[in-house]
Amino acid sequence: MTRSYRFPEGFLWGAATSAYQIEGSPLADGAGPSIWERFAHTPGMMVGGDTGDIACDHYRRYKDDVQLMKALGLHGYRFSIAWARVLPEGTGRVNEKGLDFYKRLVDELLENGIAPNATLFHWDMPAALDDRGGWLNRDSAHWFAEYAEVMFKALDGRVQRWATLNEPWVVTDGGYLHGALAPGHRSKYEAPIAAHNLMRASGAGIQAYRAHGKHEIGVVFNIEPKYPHSQSADDLAATRRAHAYMNEQFADPALLGSYPPELKEIFGEAWPDFPADDFKLTRQKVDFVGINYYTRAVVKHDPNQYPLKASPVRQANKTYTETGWEVFEQGLTDTLTWFKDRYGDIPLYITENGSAFYDPPVAEGEVLDDPLRTGYLRKHLRALHKAIEAGVNLKGYYAWSLLDNLEWSLGFSKRFGLYHVDFATQKRTPKATAKLYARVIESNGAVLDD
Ligand code: BGC
């Protein structure tokens, strides 16, 4: 029997990027340096010595890139704003030229019938604020709200869907606990403080929106479901810890106003006693939550793993992407139903989903065949449809990513794009996945029927 994958009327089909990963020209037109600018220019931090100096040169080629979006038939485009372009010192003086770039981008999108969806913080904190302690400073919540207000005043009305933060877990785990991402700290004493201040900042940004904004605001979490390696008490407890650490540590303060008890167990004496009042700030009404889903983890107890005492177990006979992530589409359905059960019926978007598989640096021909990525997209869209059938209030999907881009400290070595980018010439070539996605959008999912 054929199964229909037609999505609900009005379902939003989009694609996502982020500023430092695609824009290039990070210091142009009076922009201040960000922590990623500094990190990328520190020897040994980036694979291949890659930097965001040019990236996809989107800062100069944004009009052409909007045409690529139009060719896909996108309804929405999720991009991020580089805080240090707008406020070079992070607070205070507004750099009108930096702001102008986003005004021009938004105008171009609207003229082409594509809804602009802006994320305020996708990891590139102004370096000047890092010098003042970055996310370890409690004032960071006010710095963020000040910046957010500048953006709401400049663009609300034209940008009708905002997100405060992208993936605070990655910022704290990579940036403050393990040091693989900017600002490159390694401290279990700092990580929970940075995490907490990020969620205070998100709350302060939402409050500022209620005073100035007229449309929708939410926050974006990466959710990676955790499954136990065995039913032993040790593995089950390790799975709980991993889940609390990665998923609930951020969604709970935002949506429930508390932290799960496992965090104290994980961080021990490094877990601070946060003032009760803080949770009034972290818990603000959101209009939606964005979920970024890539993979799952199967977890086992591992006393040597710091500080979680839990580690992932590689699965036999499964496909893994170039970033080492298992292709596991059922996890997307499970994530969405779990989220609804725990946090209630909040409108949800998948704000990122995609896969890095090997593509050659130079694309020959008009379309680059990328069968593994095409398979990943098809499977995950079907899994998404299952979640809608199970009653999840899912409003849209953004593919990660529009373009191959700078995969943070992995440089240009990992390609997630719907469009291939030849980084030597900046030539864009659609991959077969882009072609499939365009047909999905045109048929509202019907092309996935089997
Ligand atoms: C981030 C993106 C990143 C992608 C693939 C997410 O963690 O939001 O910036 O490129 O996943 O790793």
Side-chain angles (χ1 to χ4, degrees):
M1 203 181 82
T2 346
R3 189 189 186 296
S4 166
Y5 287 95
R6 188 169 279 281
F7 279 69
E9 197 72 22
F11 191 80
L12 180 142
W13 295 104
T17 63
S18 92
Y20 191 72
Q21 293 181 273
I22 66 162
E23 287 178 355
S25 311
L27 301 178
D29 298 328
S34 74
I35 57 170
W36 270 95
E37 161 75 13
R38 282 189 181 170
F39 190 81
H41 284 273
T42 303
M45 294 307 196
M46 305 283 285
V47 170
D50 291 341
T51 72
D53 289 2
I54 300 172
C56 305
D57 200 21
H58 173 78
Y59 190 73
R60 299 191 303 171
R61 295 170 192 259
Y62 69 94
K63 287 193 177 179
D64 296 343
D65 290 340
V66 171
Q67 290 312 306
L68 301 181
M69 299 173 205
K70 201 172 173 184
L72 292 172
L74 294 189
H75 307 158
Y77 172 54
R78 174 178 178 256
F79 61 97
S80 81
I81 294 159
W83 185 344
R85 284 199 197 281
V86 179
L87 292 151
E89 290 88 32
T91 57
R93 184 177 63 88
V94 173
N95 174 36
E96 292 297 336
K97 279 190 169 173
L99 193 53
D100 276 353
F101 170 67
Y102 297 104
K103 289 183 177 166
R104 291 197 303 274
L105 172 63
V106 163
D107 286 345
E108 191 69 19
L109 289 163
L110 291 172
E111 274 165 31
N112 284 278
I114 299 165
N117 305 140
T119 299
L120 289 162
F121 179 70
H122 198 128
W123 310 356
D124 46 358
M125 176 178 252
L129 295 182
D130 194 49
D131 292 340
R132 294 161 70 186
W135 293 114
L136 300 174
N137 187 328
R138 278 181 68 84
D139 288 346
S140 53
H142 310 300
W143 304 336
F144 180 74
E146 180 188 328
Y147 153 57
E149 196 179 312
V150 170
M151 295 313 306
F152 299 147
K153 284 184 176 158
L155 291 179
D156 192 50
R158 289 188 285 165
V159 170
Q160 303 195 344
R161 184 166 311 111
W162 293 88
T164 53
L165 313 176
N166 177 72
E167 301 192 353
W169 178 80
V170 177
V171 176
T172 65
D173 183 77
Y176 288 89
L177 184 64
H178 295 300
L181 303 175
H185 299 196
R186 298 190 62 187
S187 165
K188 80 166 177 176
Y189 297 89
E190 291 184 357
I193 297 172
H196 186 70
N197 285 333
L198 274 155
M199 296 322 299
R200 289 178 56 248
S202 178
I206 295 168
Q207 275 186 344
Y209 193 70
R210 300 298 171 214
H212 299 281
K214 296 183 285 296
H215 301 95
E216 288 180 24
I217 191 155
V219 55
V220 172
F221 302 121
N222 55 300
I223 305 286
E224 186 182 285
K226 309 293 180 187
Y227 301 81
H229 172 61
S230 81
Q231 292 303 311
S232 75
D234 273 356
D235 283 352
L236 291 173
T239 306
R240 271 295 314 152
R241 287 195 299 278
H243 179 56
Y245 171 62
M246 191 162 177
N247 303 325
E248 295 172 345
Q249 181 177 192
F250 301 89
D252 277 17
L255 304 171
L256 306 178
S258 58
Y259 283 112
E262 288 83 1
L263 293 176
K264 197 167 172 57
E265 193 190 321
I266 296 165
F267 286 100
E269 41 132 14
W271 183 255
D273 241 341
F274 294 113
D277 262 5
D278 284 3
F279 296 96
K280 291 191 193 135
L281 182 59
T282 61
R283 188 186 191 185
Q284 299 292 320
K285 185 190 169 302
V286 289
D287 300 310
F288 71 92
V289 169
I291 293 177
N292 295 352
Y293 176 85
Y294 289 91
T295 190
R296 69 153 169 185
V298 176
V299 180
K300 74 162 197 281
H301 178 71
D302 178 356
N304 299 321
Q305 192 62 40
Y306 162 91
L308 271 187
K309 298 195 174 65
S311 53
V313 184
R314 200 175 163 92
Q315 302 300 294
N317 305 318
K318 290 294 176 70
T319 307
Y320 279 77
T321 70
E322 285 271 303
T323 44
W325 299 338
E326 183 192 341
V327 177
F328 189 70
E329 65 274 15
Q330 178 62 38
L332 177 54
T333 317
D334 293 351
T335 288
L336 287 163
T337 49
W338 166 75
F339 205 91
K340 175 177 192 252
D341 291 347
R342 185 170 179 82
Y343 301 110
D345 197 15
I346 304 168
L348 301 178
Y349 288 86
I350 292 299
T351 32
E352 285 180 32
N353 172 244
S355 54
F357 286 108
Y358 175 79
D359 302 308
V362 178
E364 307 289 350
E366 297 209 342
V367 178
L368 179 73
D369 212 22
D370 61 338
L372 291 171
R373 190 178 293 97
T374 307
Y376 182 100
L377 178 70
R378 189 179 283 120
K379 285 180 189 158
H380 284 78
L381 292 181
R382 287 177 174 166
L384 206 61
H385 196 270
K386 268 170 75 178
I388 295 175
E389 281 186 345
V392 172
N393 185 6
L394 190 75
K395 300 287 193 195
Y397 173 90
Y398 297 81
W400 184 269
S401 179
L402 177 72
L403 302 166
D404 289 340
N405 60 44
L406 182 85
E407 180 54 20
W408 303 108
S409 53
L410 299 177
F412 299 109
S413 66
K414 308 292 174 220
R415 293 175 178 271
F416 280 89
L418 295 170
Y419 285 93
H420 177 277
V421 177
D422 178 337
F423 291 102
T425 61
Q426 291 297 336
K427 178 167 173 269
R428 277 81 159 129
T429 305
K431 301 181 192 175
T433 304
K435 296 290 176 191
L436 171 65
Y437 195 43
R439 284 162 53 221
V440 166
I441 296 173
E442 207 199 339
S443 66
N444 199 24
V447 71
L448 301 165
D449 291 359
D450 50 23

